[in-house]
Amino acid sequence: MSFMGLVCLIIITIFIPPLGVFIVAGCGADLLINLICTFLGYIPGHFHAFYLIFVYYYRKDQRKKGIPIAADAPLIFSDRVQYGGNPGSYQPYHHGPRY
């Protein structure tokens, strides 16, 4: 995603945090957690959404530079976010299943 794509994603996330999470992580546990956080309070939904976006772009940058990802990021259940975009092309060290 280009710089303008990131800017659009941030603007979308500011107004509707679950939509930003859906764009980055897809439909799964992370989206459900964000919906719950957003309904319990609008600000926790923002924290969770921006945390997912930060981890996604950080891992994507690491993958581009060839830096191995040593461990999974806490509280993220989407493989797409954990591995920076494409989980099929780059798998980090596996330490067992995530629950």
Side-chain angles (χ1 to χ4, degrees):
M1 201 180 279
S2 66
F3 176 74
M4 287 307 295
L6 178 60
V7 170
C8 290
L9 179 62
I10 289 173
I11 291 171
I12 289 169
T13 305
I14 288 172
F15 292 109
I16 308 169
L19 184 58
V21 171
F22 178 74
I23 292 170
V24 172
C27 186
D30 289 319
L31 180 63
L32 180 64
I33 291 169
N34 191 268
L35 283 169
I36 292 169
C37 287
T38 302
F39 288 135
L40 291 176
Y42 201 58
I43 301 300
H46 278 94
F47 283 136
H48 182 257
F50 283 114
Y51 173 66
L52 283 174
I53 292 170
F54 169 76
V55 169
Y56 174 76
Y57 278 98
Y58 180 73
R59 297 290 173 102
K60 188 174 183 178
D61 187 50
Q62 281 184 321
R63 192 170 50 102
K64 281 184 182 178
K65 292 179 181 177
I67 301 170
I69 300 169
D72 289 343
L75 301 175
I76 295 180
F77 301 99
S78 170
D79 288 340
R80 184 175 179 196
V81 175
Q82 287 287 357
Y83 305 136
N86 189 1
S89 67
Y90 180 79
Q91 294 289 333
Y93 308 112
H94 283 287
H95 303 288
R98 277 186 286 133
Y99 297 102

